[in-house]
Amino acid sequence: MFYWFAKTFVVAPVTNLLFRPWVKGLNNVPEEGAAILASNHLSVSDSIFMPAQLYRQVHFLAKKEYFSGKGPKGWITRKFFEATNQLPMDRAGGMASLDSLRSGLEVLQDGKLLGIYPEGTRSPDGRLYRGKLGVAKLALNARVPVVPIAMIGTDKVQPIGRAIPSIRRVGMIFGQPLDFSEYYDRAGDRFVERQVTDQIVEAIRRLSGQEYVDVYASTVKSQPASGAPDAQ
């Protein structure tokens, strides 16, 4: 109830009025049934702008830190993400990440839309980085199509570190659904998962026009500025 009220009467009207989003390919999002919405990730506001344009609710895998903040700000953030049915995602890898993916799998098995950022984190510089295998694991195990999405200009509205967004126009492009049914019987094969992930990221790159960097964005973020991997 909170989700529909907030989106219909607050989020959508405000974003449409202030940021005048332009949208292409919205009809590529299935009107019913499960699907993964796989997007590039330029800004924390991506998870606000994109769902506001859809009639159906989108359940996002959100980093677990949003659910564990301290103090009044942490409480407000946690309650917001819980009220909008966002799912905590542990990005540490191993069993913790697999447990988080199971929550996403349950969403898809219920016939809903799941939003995921294949890069695993926001781009540190506006370029498109190597995708992690979670999106392929979900697509193959749930046996659902993947809709590639390009967010345009959201990094200019709210870049990393900026709390208050700038007022300027944003855009989004929804690509044609990707069908990986030929790989369904090979779920769990890491070679296949890498192939599927790379195809999804390439589809996003074609829509967004971003420069691609074959390095994980999290690796770049973890390096000192002078010691970051050469991604030119």
Side-chain angles (χ1 to χ4, degrees):
M1 178 65 71
F2 174 83
Y3 177 90
W4 291 111
F5 178 86
K7 188 178 85 165
T8 303
F9 297 105
V10 181
V11 178
V14 170
T15 56
N16 288 336
L17 175 64
L18 297 180
F19 302 97
R20 300 176 295 117
W22 57 266
V23 183
K24 295 182 179 179
L26 195 59
N27 61 329
N28 286 320
V29 179
E31 294 183 0
E32 58 183 19
I36 294 173
L37 305 184
S39 173
N40 60 338
H41 198 14
L42 300 174
S43 168
V44 67
S45 61
D46 295 332
S47 299
I48 297 175
F49 288 122
M50 188 262 281
Q53 301 304 312
L54 301 176
Y55 172 76
R56 297 182 63 187
Q57 180 174 358
V58 182
H59 298 257
F60 273 98
L61 287 175
K63 64 179 182 179
K64 71 173 186 177
E65 287 79 4
Y66 287 137
F67 299 83
S68 57
K70 304 299 183 181
K73 180 180 178 181
W75 183 87
I76 293 172
T77 300
R78 182 173 66 255
K79 290 302 180 182
F80 172 81
F81 277 85
E82 290 174 349
T84 53
N85 294 326
Q86 308 303 295
L87 309 170
M89 174 68 188
D90 192 316
R91 302 180 296 178
M95 290 305 300
S97 294
L98 289 177
D99 287 341
S100 299
L101 290 177
R102 290 192 186 99
S103 298
L105 184 60
E106 291 175 0
V107 168
L108 295 169
Q109 290 173 336
D110 287 340
K112 300 174 182 177
L113 296 178
L114 180 71
I116 188 170
Y117 300 111
E119 294 166 276
T121 186
R122 284 172 287 173
S123 170
D125 54 18
R127 294 182 291 181
L128 185 67
Y129 284 80
R130 194 175 199 225
K132 297 196 171 183
L133 301 185
V135 63
K137 293 179 184 294
L138 288 167
L140 298 181
N141 282 283
R143 302 192 168 200
V144 299
V146 178
V147 179
I149 301 170
M151 302 300 297
I152 311 293
T154 55
D155 54 332
K156 303 298 190 299
V157 168
Q158 193 172 15
I160 294 175
R162 186 185 183 97
I164 300 176
S166 301
I167 306 300
R168 57 187 299 160
R169 200 169 192 197
V170 300
M172 59 203 79
I173 305 172
F174 295 82
Q176 294 185 350
L178 304 175
D179 178 6
F180 296 108
S181 55
E182 62 180 300
Y183 301 118
Y184 287 166
D185 61 351
R186 298 179 64 185
D189 184 325
R190 288 185 64 84
F191 176 80
V192 171
E193 291 172 351
R194 170 48 57 194
Q195 185 176 352
V196 168
T197 299
D198 289 346
Q199 288 183 34
I200 293 169
V201 172
E202 171 59 18
I204 295 172
R205 187 201 63 78
R206 289 197 301 268
L207 295 173
S208 69
Q210 291 170 277
E211 176 186 349
Y212 175 69
V213 184
D214 195 22
V215 176
Y216 291 121
S218 57
T219 300
V220 174
K221 287 183 174 182
S222 68
Q223 298 293 327
S226 60
D230 184 5
Q232 297 299 323

